[in-house]
Amino acid sequence: IAKKLEDAQWVLVASPHYLESKGSVNTAAELERHDAVLFSPQSKIRPWYLASGGKTIHVRPQGRFAINHLDSIKSAVVAGLGVAQLPLSLCERDLKQNTLVELLPETRLSVGSIWIVYPSANYLPTKVRAFVDFVSENYANAFDPDAIPNRVQA
């Protein structure tokens, strides 16, 4: 069984410090000259697909490293290590606090969905059902540290 939690909107971001030291990003082509903090759940680095003016632009980001954990990518970008594609829900607070800056806001990135997948409900252990229910009810607030009581901070 699969349950959709959200349609994820992704944004391109960098820290103000990184942009001060490396220069601004005004076009998609300029992204290839910047350091990228890459998301790679597998060993293959994939291009970034951006939509602008009815065209899809493929950008091959250049990065010194790839990370398979989105929170770690966000931490690296906030620390000024490069630019990255991140889900808006993950970095919305940092954008509001100006610890991150959205790059090329007129450009839309490929949109994906976030799903929770679990075995058939007929044989679902109580603990798994409780977890699925908790995630389904609280996902919208998952990236707000003040929204979920007793949340352990990383």
Side-chain angles (χ1 to χ4, degrees), residues 81-130:
L81 298 179
V83 302
Q85 273 188 338
L86 287 170
L88 178 60
S89 58
L90 179 63
C91 57
E92 198 164 24
R93 183 179 223 178
D94 292 281
L95 290 167
K96 288 177 184 173
Q97 295 176 345
N98 296 317
T99 54
L100 288 177
V101 175
E102 183 177 358
L103 307 174
L104 307 175
E106 71 285 350
T107 304
R108 292 294 107 212
L109 305 180
S110 58
V111 175
S113 298
I114 306 295
W115 297 77
I116 186 164
V117 180
Y118 53 95
S120 170
N122 295 338
Y123 303 103
L124 196 62
T126 305
K127 290 179 182 180
V128 174
R129 167 53 55 202

Side-chain angles (χ1 to χ4, degrees), residues 4 18 24 29 37 39 45-46 49 51 55 75 77 83-86 91 93-94 98 104 120 122 130-131 134 136 140:
K4 185 191 285 190
Y18 174 84
S24 62
V37 181
F39 176 60
I45 303 300
R46 297 182 181 167
Y49 298 97
K55 296 179 185 177
S75 295
V77 174
V83 302
Q85 273 188 338
L86 287 170
C91 57
R93 183 179 223 178
D94 292 281
N98 296 317
L104 307 175
S120 170
N122 295 338
F131 176 74
F134 176 80
S136 298

Side-chain angles (χ1 to χ4, degrees), residues 38-82:
L38 302 168
F39 176 60
S40 180
Q42 296 118 5
S43 59
K44 184 177 180 182
I45 303 300
R46 297 182 181 167
W48 291 348
Y49 298 97
L50 304 101
S52 180
K55 296 179 185 177
T56 299
I57 304 162
H58 301 190
V59 175
R60 298 221 175 258
Q62 304 299 314
R64 290 179 277 171
F65 56 94
I67 304 172
N68 66 359
H69 186 261
L70 291 172
D71 277 327
S72 298
I73 291 172
K74 184 180 86 166
S75 295
V77 174
V78 168
L81 298 179

